[in-house]
Amino acid sequence: ADESADGSVEEFVSEKDSLKTEWFGRAEGKNVVFITLESVQNFVIDTEVKGEPVTPFLNELKDDSLYFSNLYDQASQGKSSDAEFMVDTGLYPLDGGSVFVRRPHNTFNGLPELLKDYQTTVFHGNVRTFWNREQMYDSLGYDQFISKQDYEINKENQINYGIEDKSFFRQSIPYMKQLNEPYMTKFITLTNHFPFLLDEKDRSLPLADTSEPVVNRYLTTVRYLDESIRQLFQSLKEEGMYQDTMFVLFGDHYGISKEYEDGVHELLDQPDTALSHTTNQRVPLLIHIPGMEGKTIDTLGGQIDIRSTVLHLLGKQTENYMSFSHNLLAGEKEEFVAFRDGDFITPSYLFQDGICSKTDSSQPVNASHCKEGREKAREKLKLSDHIIKGDLLRFK
Ligand code: GP9
């Protein structure tokens, strides 16, 4: 097993649940635009501050999209890079550090490899070396990486890690117009990043008054991100680049750590329980195909499942691919999410911080109820590590 993608690994990780559904191929041949929503947790959707929606645009968009409301953040120490890694490869992050940094030379069969007829470009307003992206994108097979050096950045349009999202999207359009169709682009947003800084002039949401200033600021930068996406959609419509595109928007990881979570409990008027902490770790996933009716899907899944779901909509059969991704649109989807630390959640049980509890009530139960789930999580993580550490996909 050390030197090849042996039968047992293959059996376990092939993407079997790609049986055709009514959604299969609904976006076939369309361009694909991924937008990573930096630090966006699902609780901001349909939440208000002083009577004003935090995410008015995403709230509207989700009504015309496949909106996955029960999707968990599975990123680990590699944060944004882990989220990208899962979406591209359907493998789990490593238990320490970032795969982008630790294993950039592996063979991964990432999305650019599978979408061979697509021109693939990543847009990001930070330096090329952050999370070792430049090297990793080469390895994943991206054709182009438009980064900080390609944008006009000045005192007015820069904050925190780099260019502000509104300017980022505005300046990306001319590059996008040069792409050959079909194209796949990935926009990695930046402004909604800890410590959630924003100039007064860019703040359009009233400041919430929870006892956590970090949470209060977070909501204003989430609103800014929401506005920047509205502006991107508007520009693409004006340029005639909207109609033939599937948009995939997803939160990359949590923004509010446990340390500041009291502010979220106050905002949402929720109790401080293991269950509320866990449900707060959900990130939004919206897949918007112009002209397609919207639907909210509450199938339990994780970021690792985004890949298979997108490939299904693009009409790609995935059963010969090796990954841990499961199509969220398939009726028989296994509702199981493994977190990197070995914790897991299913519709029935939640295992977190050494405690087994019922998912719907957070009532602790006998540990035996979580035995099978813990073994399953351990097995998946072990096999994924095995693939990454042995660079086993080079044999596929
Ligand atoms: C940095 C950006 C944020 O370029 O992607 O990374 P994070 O700190 O969220 O992982």
Side-chain angles (χ1 to χ4, degrees), residues 36 38-39 76-82 84 124-127 130-131 133 137 161 188-190 192-194 252-254:
T36 73
E38 171 63 43
S39 302
S76 185
Q77 289 176 355
K79 303 292 294 286
S80 298
S81 69
D82 281 351
E84 285 189 63
H124 184 42
N126 199 352
V127 291
F130 203 96
W131 285 129
R133 284 187 170 108
Y137 291 158
Y161 272 97
I188 304 169
T189 59
L190 204 50
N192 185 43
H193 192 288
F194 189 86
D252 63 351
H253 52 72
Y254 68 82

Side-chain angles (χ1 to χ4, degrees), residues 59 78 108 161 205 219 224 248 264 272 300 332 374 376:
N59 296 354
F108 284 116
Y161 272 97
L205 185 76
L219 297 163
Y224 174 87
V248 182
V264 179
D272 179 359
L300 186 140
E332 80 282 15
R374 291 182 69 192
K376 192 191 271 197

Side-chain angles (χ1 to χ4, degrees), residues 151-152 157 163-172 224:
Y151 293 92
E152 199 133 325
N157 69 8
I163 188 168
E164 291 176 342
D165 294 337
K166 285 186 184 174
S167 191
F168 165 62
F169 284 129
R170 202 176 298 121
Q171 292 189 46
S172 297
Y224 174 87

Side-chain angles (χ1 to χ4, degrees), residues 313-349:
L313 287 161
L314 290 175
K316 304 275 178 199
Q317 295 282 8
T318 56
E319 61 261 18
N320 293 325
Y321 303 151
M322 287 177 69
S323 92
F324 296 86
S325 186
H326 288 277
N327 174 13
L328 293 162
L329 295 164
E332 80 282 15
K333 155 90 173 92
E334 164 201 63
E335 294 196 271
F336 182 89
V337 175
F339 299 102
R340 184 58 254 195
D341 56 5
D343 289 354
F344 73 88
I345 184 166
T346 70
S348 310
Y349 297 107

Side-chain angles (χ1 to χ4, degrees), residues 17 52 66 73 88-89 107 123-124 129 133 160 186 210 214 233 237 260 265 272 299 309 311 344 364 389-390:
D17 51 0
E52 283 208 40
L66 298 175
D73 167 12
D88 257 352
T89 68
T107 298
F123 294 90
H124 184 42
T129 46
R133 284 187 170 108
N160 211 352
K186 173 156 69 173
T210 78
V214 168
F233 272 65
K237 282 180 182 169
Y260 306 111
H265 298 322
D272 179 359
T299 302
T309 311
L311 289 171
F344 73 88
K389 291 178 181 165

